[in-house]
Amino acid sequence: MDIYKFIENLKKYLKATFNYEVSNNAIRIYLDNEMYYDYAYLSRKLYMYERGKKSEIGCWSDIKNANLNFAMLLRNHFCGQLYDKVPNALEDCTSLESLSKILNKYFDEQYYSVGCLAEGKLSIVKDDNYTIWYSKGEKKHMVAKDSDCEYIFTRFFNEIMYLEKLMNNLRDYEHIFGEEFTDGEVMELIEF
């Protein structure tokens, strides 16, 4: 891995400048005077130091996922968290039809489906309870199941928001770093 090329791509991905140091096997990224990350890219481990206290943040089995997770963590730090506020309208929402109208105001329909299971989207269906599903390729995962409309609709909204922002960050990463991720790798990254 060309570490200096990785850092240049990281600057583009973060749309920010940052202070860093490079050693034989690690990149140190300074967040402020008391916090920094050490990314040991050869061992694929990430550590955070805060006021001298060391914490292991993650360890990955391959360099591709380690680089991606490190870049996304930094993007959340430098560019803001993934989450926004849930609208109050969900409190009074009592049907899939009213939920669909609210969701259309906030999200692109490429990320969700209301009333039926859809490939590559978060789906909410009603049987005895409301169930949130996510499927990609041959994998299908139940995210949540509940009869409480307010809880499950709010959860569905949050999951869509997370998925949309995560996928946008992933697409940016793929474009800037020249990487591609399989359906299986995407499912592991989503981790519902």
Side-chain angles (χ1 to χ4, degrees):
M1 173 170 107
D2 180 347
I3 196 63
Y4 293 101
K5 174 91 170 133
F6 178 77
I7 291 170
E8 287 306 310
N9 287 337
L10 198 56
K11 288 177 184 176
K12 292 175 193 171
Y13 182 67
L14 301 177
K15 300 175 186 153
T17 58
F18 49 85
N19 294 323
Y20 67 93
E21 294 176 8
V22 176
S23 67
N24 311 11
N25 63 354
I27 304 168
R28 178 171 289 173
I29 305 280
Y30 293 93
L31 304 179
D32 60 32
N33 291 339
E34 297 180 338
M35 278 183 68
Y36 60 89
Y37 289 114
D38 267 352
Y39 173 44
Y41 53 87
L42 294 179
S43 60
R44 300 168 311 282
K45 291 183 179 181
L46 177 62
Y47 302 96
M48 182 180 77
Y49 290 81
E50 185 171 15
R51 298 185 183 132
K53 183 181 175 192
K54 180 180 179 180
S55 303
E56 185 173 322
I57 301 296
C59 181
W60 295 272
S61 60
D62 63 84
I63 192 75
K64 181 179 175 183
N65 281 312
N67 288 349
L68 171 67
N69 281 281
F70 177 57
M72 286 185 141
L73 177 76
L74 287 174
R75 191 174 221 190
N76 286 338
H77 175 80
F78 285 105
C79 304
Q81 297 296 317
L82 286 175
Y83 304 103
D84 295 321
K85 189 175 178 184
V86 174
N88 291 334
L90 286 174
E91 292 174 6
D92 301 323
C93 187
T94 58
S95 70
L96 290 179
E97 183 179 311
S98 59
L99 174 64
S100 184
K101 289 177 184 176
I102 293 168
L103 295 175
N104 282 331
K105 294 177 186 175
Y106 292 92
F107 302 110
D108 185 327
E109 288 183 8
Q110 75 180 24
Y111 296 105
Y112 71 92
S113 171
V114 176
C116 62
L117 192 61
E119 164 72 19
K121 298 180 180 187
L122 278 162
S123 304
I124 188 166
V125 294
K126 178 153 177 43
D127 40 39
D128 295 339
N129 291 301
Y130 292 98
T131 308
I132 301 172
W133 293 95
Y134 184 77
S135 64
K136 188 84 172 161
E138 295 181 14
K139 294 183 178 184
K140 180 177 159 184
H141 179 74
M142 184 175 71
V143 178
K145 185 173 193 160
D146 206 299
S147 59
D148 179 2
C149 290
E150 185 178 346
Y151 166 76
I152 202 76
F153 291 171
T154 300
R155 173 80 186 263
F156 191 57
F157 185 94
N158 284 329
E159 296 292 349
I160 297 167
M161 186 169 22
Y162 171 80
L163 178 64
E164 179 182 59
K165 290 187 177 187
L166 182 121
M167 293 306 292
N168 288 337
N169 285 342
L170 179 61
R171 277 191 215 101
D172 288 350
Y173 183 89
E174 287 177 322
H175 174 73
I176 291 167
F177 287 85
E179 296 274 358
E180 288 187 25
F181 291 84
T182 65
D183 288 348
E185 290 170 324
V186 171
M187 283 293 282
E188 286 179 26
L189 181 65
I190 292 170
E191 296 180 17
F192 283 111

